Amino acid sequence: MTEREYEKLVGSMVPPSPIWKNCACAFLVGGAICTLGQVLTNFYGGVLDETSAATATGMTLVALSALLTGLSLYDDLAKFAGAGTLVPITGFANSIAAPAIEFKTEGFVLGVAAKMFTIAGPVLVYGTAASVLYGLVYYIWQLVA
């Protein structure tokens, strides 16, 4: 069987992906999460200064995401919305809370603490490294300019 024949066989057996439906669901749910963030920012902005309101909004979204993850509701939302739940800060909170919940039976030290950052760890490492690199480039640029 040639590679082309194999691709044709696989293509005939794999159901087509509903890409437009997936994009619409991701857009709507991601937009709803961001709208909730804006509503929270406006609410907190009425009682706090701008920086504190933004911090309180982020904290609320992270706490809400962790709560929904703990109640096993975030996974259902993610199955429906796909990438719409991954992009905002709630997806990051879910990536930390989910492994912690999954490995809680192994104990708090070897389970929760050790496995909590298995998904989010690389993001933190490379994000931190990228920010340090950006800071160095910016510092050198300022010295030259």
Side-chain angles (χ1 to χ4, degrees):
M1 179 179 283
T2 66
E3 187 175 334
R4 179 166 278 190
E5 290 172 336
Y6 179 74
E7 287 178 14
K8 185 177 179 182
L9 176 65
V10 170
S12 68
M13 295 181 151
V14 175
S17 176
I19 191 165
W20 294 108
K21 176 186 167 278
N22 292 346
C23 287
C25 291
F27 176 79
L28 292 173
V29 173
I33 292 170
C34 293
T35 300
L36 174 62
Q38 187 61 53
V39 167
L40 289 170
T41 300
N42 292 348
F43 170 76
Y44 289 131
V47 293
L48 302 170
D49 63 280
E50 187 177 334
T51 303
S52 298
T55 302
T57 299
M59 290 171 49
T60 303
L61 289 173
V62 166
L64 184 60
S65 174
L67 176 66
L68 291 176
T69 300
L71 296 173
S72 296
L73 297 174
Y74 201 89
D75 289 340
D76 296 335
L77 182 63
K79 286 177 190 171
F80 173 74
T85 59
L86 297 177
V87 177
I89 191 172
T90 55
F92 185 73
N94 173 261
S95 71
I96 292 175
I101 292 168
E102 182 179 344
F103 293 103
K104 71 180 177 183
T105 57
E106 296 180 22
F108 285 112
V109 175
L110 296 177
V112 175
K115 306 287 185 175
M116 185 181 301
F117 295 103
T118 55
I119 296 173
V123 174
L124 293 171
V125 169
Y126 289 111
T128 302
S131 66
V132 168
L133 180 64
Y134 174 77
L136 288 173
V137 169
Y138 181 76
Y139 177 75
I140 292 169
W141 183 268
Q142 292 298 316
L143 289 177
V144 173

mmCIF file of all heavy atoms in Angstrom, residues 43-78:
data_model
loop_
_atom_site.group_PDB
_atom_site.id
_atom_site.type_symbol
_atom_site.label_atom_id
_atom_site.label_comp_id
_atom_site.label_asym_id
_atom_site.label_seq_id
_atom_site.Cartn_x
_atom_site.Cartn_y
_atom_site.Cartn_z
ATOM 1 N N PHE A 43 -17.340 46.075 38.078
ATOM 2 C CA PHE A 43 -17.878 45.991 39.436
ATOM 3 C C PHE A 43 -16.823 46.379 40.468
ATOM 4 O O PHE A 43 -17.066 47.218 41.341
ATOM 5 C CB PHE A 43 -18.403 44.578 39.712
ATOM 6 C CG PHE A 43 -18.763 44.344 41.144
ATOM 7 C CD1 PHE A 43 -19.935 44.870 41.668
ATOM 8 C CD2 PHE A 43 -17.935 43.607 41.975
ATOM 9 C CE1 PHE A 43 -20.275 44.659 42.993
ATOM 10 C CE2 PHE A 43 -18.262 43.390 43.298
ATOM 11 C CZ PHE A 43 -19.433 43.919 43.818
ATOM 12 N N TYR A 44 -15.653 45.754 40.370
ATOM 13 C CA TYR A 44 -14.586 46.058 41.320
ATOM 14 C C TYR A 44 -14.078 47.488 41.155
ATOM 15 O O TYR A 44 -13.615 48.105 42.116
ATOM 16 C CB TYR A 44 -13.425 45.077 41.168
ATOM 17 C CG TYR A 44 -13.730 43.682 41.662
ATOM 18 C CD1 TYR A 44 -13.446 42.583 40.876
ATOM 19 C CD2 TYR A 44 -14.287 43.453 42.912
ATOM 20 C CE1 TYR A 44 -13.708 41.294 41.318
ATOM 21 C CE2 TYR A 44 -14.557 42.186 43.362
ATOM 22 C CZ TYR A 44 -14.268 41.107 42.564
ATOM 23 O OH TYR A 44 -14.534 39.836 43.007
ATOM 24 N N GLY A 45 -14.160 48.010 39.925
ATOM 25 C CA GLY A 45 -13.724 49.383 39.679
ATOM 26 C C GLY A 45 -14.559 50.408 40.422
ATOM 27 O O GLY A 45 -14.094 51.518 40.686
ATOM 28 N N GLY A 46 -15.784 50.042 40.773
ATOM 29 C CA GLY A 46 -16.635 50.948 41.532
ATOM 30 C C GLY A 46 -16.213 51.107 42.978
ATOM 31 O O GLY A 46 -16.548 52.101 43.624
ATOM 32 N N VAL A 47 -15.474 50.130 43.508
ATOM 33 C CA VAL A 47 -15.084 50.185 44.916
ATOM 34 C C VAL A 47 -13.569 50.188 45.129
ATOM 35 O O VAL A 47 -13.114 50.459 46.238
ATOM 36 C CB VAL A 47 -15.708 49.011 45.703
ATOM 37 C CG1 VAL A 47 -17.215 49.154 45.785
ATOM 38 C CG2 VAL A 47 -15.348 47.673 45.103
ATOM 39 N N LEU A 48 -12.799 49.884 44.084
ATOM 40 C CA LEU A 48 -11.341 49.821 44.197
ATOM 41 C C LEU A 48 -10.692 50.685 43.130
ATOM 42 O O LEU A 48 -11.330 51.061 42.148
ATOM 43 C CB LEU A 48 -10.859 48.368 44.019
ATOM 44 C CG LEU A 48 -11.407 47.316 44.978
ATOM 45 C CD1 LEU A 48 -11.019 45.926 44.499
ATOM 46 C CD2 LEU A 48 -10.883 47.551 46.390
ATOM 47 N N ASP A 49 -9.400 50.968 43.307
ATOM 48 C CA ASP A 49 -8.672 51.679 42.259
ATOM 49 C C ASP A 49 -8.443 50.728 41.080
ATOM 50 O O ASP A 49 -8.684 49.524 41.173
ATOM 51 C CB ASP A 49 -7.338 52.220 42.787
ATOM 52 C CG ASP A 49 -6.396 51.133 43.228
ATOM 53 O OD1 ASP A 49 -6.564 50.616 44.370
ATOM 54 O OD2 ASP A 49 -5.500 50.773 42.447
ATOM 55 N N GLU A 50 -7.979 51.256 39.960
ATOM 56 C CA GLU A 50 -7.880 50.486 38.715
ATOM 57 C C GLU A 50 -6.986 49.254 38.839
ATOM 58 O O GLU A 50 -7.350 48.157 38.391
ATOM 59 C CB GLU A 50 -7.360 51.398 37.603
ATOM 60 C CG GLU A 50 -7.370 50.765 36.239
ATOM 61 C CD GLU A 50 -6.924 51.727 35.152
ATOM 62 O OE1 GLU A 50 -7.065 52.949 35.319
ATOM 63 O OE2 GLU A 50 -6.429 51.231 34.132
ATOM 64 N N THR A 51 -5.831 49.396 39.456
ATOM 65 C CA THR A 51 -4.909 48.273 39.602
ATOM 66 C C THR A 51 -5.495 47.194 40.509
ATOM 67 O O THR A 51 -5.429 46.003 40.198
ATOM 68 C CB THR A 51 -3.561 48.750 40.166
ATOM 69 O OG1 THR A 51 -3.043 49.767 39.306
ATOM 70 C CG2 THR A 51 -2.569 47.619 40.271
ATOM 71 N N SER A 52 -6.080 47.609 41.604
ATOM 72 C CA SER A 52 -6.684 46.642 42.528
ATOM 73 C C SER A 52 -7.890 45.954 41.901
ATOM 74 O O SER A 52 -8.131 44.771 42.149
ATOM 75 C CB SER A 52 -7.099 47.335 43.827
ATOM 76 O OG SER A 52 -5.971 47.867 44.472
ATOM 77 N N ALA A 53 -8.647 46.682 41.097
ATOM 78 C CA ALA A 53 -9.802 46.086 40.417
ATOM 79 C C ALA A 53 -9.345 45.006 39.443
ATOM 80 O O ALA A 53 -9.953 43.930 39.366
ATOM 81 C CB ALA A 53 -10.605 47.163 39.696
ATOM 82 N N ALA A 54 -8.282 45.274 38.710
ATOM 83 C CA ALA A 54 -7.755 44.271 37.774
ATOM 84 C C ALA A 54 -7.242 43.046 38.526
ATOM 85 O O ALA A 54 -7.467 41.910 38.106
ATOM 86 C CB ALA A 54 -6.643 44.883 36.928
ATOM 87 N N THR A 55 -6.575 43.266 39.643
ATOM 88 C CA THR A 55 -6.081 42.150 40.457
ATOM 89 C C THR A 55 -7.237 41.326 41.009
ATOM 90 O O THR A 55 -7.209 40.095 40.959
ATOM 91 C CB THR A 55 -5.208 42.679 41.609
ATOM 92 O OG1 THR A 55 -4.122 43.428 41.058
ATOM 93 C CG2 THR A 55 -4.683 41.552 42.467
ATOM 94 N N ALA A 56 -8.249 42.000 41.518
ATOM 95 C CA ALA A 56 -9.414 41.303 42.075
ATOM 96 C C ALA A 56 -10.145 40.512 40.987
ATOM 97 O O ALA A 56 -10.631 39.403 41.235
ATOM 98 C CB ALA A 56 -10.359 42.301 42.736
ATOM 99 N N THR A 57 -10.208 41.055 39.785
ATOM 100 C CA THR A 57 -10.841 40.342 38.671
ATOM 101 C C THR A 57 -10.078 39.070 38.356
ATOM 102 O O THR A 57 -10.671 37.995 38.218
ATOM 103 C CB THR A 57 -10.909 41.241 37.426
ATOM 104 O OG1 THR A 57 -11.701 42.381 37.725
ATOM 105 C CG2 THR A 57 -11.504 40.496 36.245
ATOM 106 N N GLY A 58 -8.781 39.165 38.231
ATOM 107 C CA GLY A 58 -7.965 37.979 37.963
ATOM 108 C C GLY A 58 -8.103 36.928 39.049
ATOM 109 O O GLY A 58 -8.244 35.733 38.765
ATOM 110 N N MET A 59 -8.081 37.375 40.300
ATOM 111 C CA MET A 59 -8.225 36.445 41.418
ATOM 112 C C MET A 59 -9.586 35.762 41.397
ATOM 113 O O MET A 59 -9.692 34.556 41.654
ATOM 114 C CB MET A 59 -8.019 37.188 42.741
ATOM 115 C CG MET A 59 -6.596 37.620 42.962
ATOM 116 S SD MET A 59 -6.352 38.730 44.373
ATOM 117 C CE MET A 59 -7.212 37.904 45.679
ATOM 118 N N THR A 60 -10.627 36.507 41.077
ATOM 119 C CA THR A 60 -11.969 35.936 41.031
ATOM 120 C C THR A 60 -12.083 34.909 39.910
ATOM 121 O O THR A 60 -12.652 33.829 40.107
ATOM 122 C CB THR A 60 -13.020 37.047 40.844
ATOM 123 O OG1 THR A 60 -12.895 37.991 41.912
ATOM 124 C CG2 THR A 60 -14.419 36.482 40.824
ATOM 125 N N LEU A 61 -11.550 35.231 38.736
ATOM 126 C CA LEU A 61 -11.613 34.294 37.618
ATOM 127 C C LEU A 61 -10.813 33.021 37.900
ATOM 128 O O LEU A 61 -11.244 31.915 37.563
ATOM 129 C CB LEU A 61 -11.129 34.956 36.329
ATOM 130 C CG LEU A 61 -12.065 36.011 35.745
ATOM 131 C CD1 LEU A 61 -11.403 36.715 34.565
ATOM 132 C CD2 LEU A 61 -13.383 35.394 35.328
ATOM 133 N N VAL A 62 -9.657 33.158 38.528
ATOM 134 C CA VAL A 62 -8.846 31.991 38.879
ATOM 135 C C VAL A 62 -9.584 31.142 39.914
ATOM 136 O O VAL A 62 -9.654 29.904 39.788
ATOM 137 C CB VAL A 62 -7.457 32.414 39.392
ATOM 138 C CG1 VAL A 62 -6.739 31.267 40.080
ATOM 139 C CG2 VAL A 62 -6.620 32.946 38.244
ATOM 140 N N ALA A 63 -10.153 31.766 40.937
ATOM 141 C CA ALA A 63 -10.887 31.027 41.972
ATOM 142 C C ALA A 63 -12.111 30.333 41.383
ATOM 143 O O ALA A 63 -12.392 29.173 41.708
ATOM 144 C CB ALA A 63 -11.302 31.970 43.099
ATOM 145 N N LEU A 64 -12.826 31.020 40.504
ATOM 146 C CA LEU A 64 -13.999 30.425 39.872
ATOM 147 C C LEU A 64 -13.606 29.230 39.001
ATOM 148 O O LEU A 64 -14.253 28.182 39.022
ATOM 149 C CB LEU A 64 -14.732 31.477 39.046
ATOM 150 C CG LEU A 64 -16.035 31.053 38.384
ATOM 151 C CD1 LEU A 64 -17.047 30.608 39.438
ATOM 152 C CD2 LEU A 64 -16.609 32.206 37.575
ATOM 153 N N SER A 65 -12.518 29.364 38.274
ATOM 154 C CA SER A 65 -12.035 28.266 37.444
ATOM 155 C C SER A 65 -11.611 27.074 38.291
ATOM 156 O O SER A 65 -11.930 25.924 37.968
ATOM 157 C CB SER A 65 -10.862 28.735 36.588
ATOM 158 O OG SER A 65 -10.306 27.664 35.886
ATOM 159 N N ALA A 66 -10.905 27.326 39.372
ATOM 160 C CA ALA A 66 -10.484 26.235 40.260
ATOM 161 C C ALA A 66 -11.698 25.555 40.895
ATOM 162 O O ALA A 66 -11.730 24.326 41.022
ATOM 163 C CB ALA A 66 -9.546 26.768 41.333
ATOM 164 N N LEU A 67 -12.693 26.338 41.267
ATOM 165 C CA LEU A 67 -13.913 25.764 41.842
ATOM 166 C C LEU A 67 -14.630 24.884 40.815
ATOM 167 O O LEU A 67 -15.029 23.758 41.121
ATOM 168 C CB LEU A 67 -14.846 26.882 42.320
ATOM 169 C CG LEU A 67 -16.207 26.426 42.860
ATOM 170 C CD1 LEU A 67 -16.025 25.624 44.141
ATOM 171 C CD2 LEU A 67 -17.111 27.619 43.089
ATOM 172 N N LEU A 68 -14.791 25.384 39.595
ATOM 173 C CA LEU A 68 -15.447 24.602 38.553
ATOM 174 C C LEU A 68 -14.643 23.348 38.198
ATOM 175 O O LEU A 68 -15.216 22.304 37.896
ATOM 176 C CB LEU A 68 -15.675 25.453 37.305
ATOM 177 C CG LEU A 68 -16.710 26.563 37.436
ATOM 178 C CD1 LEU A 68 -16.771 27.398 36.166
ATOM 179 C CD2 LEU A 68 -18.077 26.009 37.780
ATOM 180 N N THR A 69 -13.319 23.441 38.264
ATOM 181 C CA THR A 69 -12.476 22.272 38.036
ATOM 182 C C THR A 69 -12.687 21.252 39.143
ATOM 183 O O THR A 69 -12.823 20.056 38.873
ATOM 184 C CB THR A 69 -10.986 22.668 37.963
ATOM 185 O OG1 THR A 69 -10.813 23.594 36.894
ATOM 186 C CG2 THR A 69 -10.103 21.461 37.742
ATOM 187 N N GLY A 70 -12.727 21.713 40.372
ATOM 188 C CA GLY A 70 -12.949 20.821 41.512
ATOM 189 C C GLY A 70 -14.308 20.139 41.478
ATOM 190 O O GLY A 70 -14.457 19.008 41.937
ATOM 191 N N LEU A 71 -15.296 20.801 40.924
ATOM 192 C CA LEU A 71 -16.646 20.227 40.807
ATOM 193 C C LEU A 71 -16.817 19.420 39.521
ATOM 194 O O LEU A 71 -17.923 18.966 39.218
ATOM 195 C CB LEU A 71 -17.686 21.349 40.847
ATOM 196 C CG LEU A 71 -17.764 22.148 42.152
ATOM 197 C CD1 LEU A 71 -18.711 23.326 42.005
ATOM 198 C CD2 LEU A 71 -18.186 21.241 43.307
ATOM 199 N N SER A 72 -15.739 19.261 38.760
ATOM 200 C CA SER A 72 -15.721 18.538 37.474
ATOM 201 C C SER A 72 -16.644 19.168 36.438
ATOM 202 O O SER A 72 -17.147 18.477 35.550
ATOM 203 C CB SER A 72 -16.093 17.067 37.671
ATOM 204 O OG SER A 72 -15.144 16.421 38.467
ATOM 205 N N LEU A 73 -16.872 20.464 36.523
ATOM 206 C CA LEU A 73 -17.698 21.158 35.547
ATOM 207 C C LEU A 73 -16.859 21.815 34.454
ATOM 208 O O LEU A 73 -17.329 21.993 33.337
ATOM 209 C CB LEU A 73 -18.572 22.216 36.243
ATOM 210 C CG LEU A 73 -19.576 21.663 37.256
ATOM 211 C CD1 LEU A 73 -20.272 22.806 37.978
ATOM 212 C CD2 LEU A 73 -20.585 20.764 36.564
ATOM 213 N N TYR A 74 -15.627 22.183 34.790
ATOM 214 C CA TYR A 74 -14.777 22.863 33.814
ATOM 215 C C TYR A 74 -14.431 21.939 32.646
ATOM 216 O O TYR A 74 -14.348 22.375 31.504
ATOM 217 C CB TYR A 74 -13.511 23.396 34.481
ATOM 218 C CG TYR A 74 -12.855 24.496 33.697
ATOM 219 C CD1 TYR A 74 -13.205 25.817 33.909
ATOM 220 C CD2 TYR A 74 -11.897 24.232 32.726
ATOM 221 C CE1 TYR A 74 -12.615 26.847 33.183
ATOM 222 C CE2 TYR A 74 -11.302 25.246 32.001
ATOM 223 C CZ TYR A 74 -11.671 26.549 32.242
ATOM 224 O OH TYR A 74 -11.093 27.548 31.514
ATOM 225 N N ASP A 75 -14.241 20.647 32.933
ATOM 226 C CA ASP A 75 -13.940 19.694 31.858
ATOM 227 C C ASP A 75 -15.091 19.595 30.868
ATOM 228 O O ASP A 75 -14.871 19.511 29.662
ATOM 229 C CB ASP A 75 -13.637 18.314 32.431
ATOM 230 C CG ASP A 75 -12.304 18.260 33.149
ATOM 231 O OD1 ASP A 75 -11.459 19.139 32.877
ATOM 232 O OD2 ASP A 75 -12.099 17.353 33.975
ATOM 233 N N ASP A 76 -16.325 19.592 31.381
ATOM 234 C CA ASP A 76 -17.489 19.555 30.488
ATOM 235 C C ASP A 76 -17.552 20.806 29.626
ATOM 236 O O ASP A 76 -17.854 20.727 28.432
ATOM 237 C CB ASP A 76 -18.779 19.408 31.301
ATOM 238 C CG ASP A 76 -18.842 18.091 32.051
ATOM 239 O OD1 ASP A 76 -18.187 17.122 31.606
ATOM 240 O OD2 ASP A 76 -19.542 18.029 33.077
ATOM 241 N N LEU A 77 -17.271 21.950 30.239
ATOM 242 C CA LEU A 77 -17.251 23.202 29.488
ATOM 243 C C LEU A 77 -16.161 23.175 28.429
ATOM 244 O O LEU A 77 -16.364 23.609 27.292
ATOM 245 C CB LEU A 77 -17.050 24.386 30.438
ATOM 246 C CG LEU A 77 -17.053 25.776 29.819
ATOM 247 C CD1 LEU A 77 -18.407 26.078 29.193
ATOM 248 C CD2 LEU A 77 -16.705 26.817 30.867
ATOM 249 N N ALA A 78 -14.997 22.633 28.782
ATOM 250 C CA ALA A 78 -13.875 22.560 27.833
ATOM 251 C C ALA A 78 -14.180 21.607 26.677
ATOM 252 O O ALA A 78 -13.770 21.856 25.548
ATOM 253 C CB ALA A 78 -12.607 22.127 28.556
#
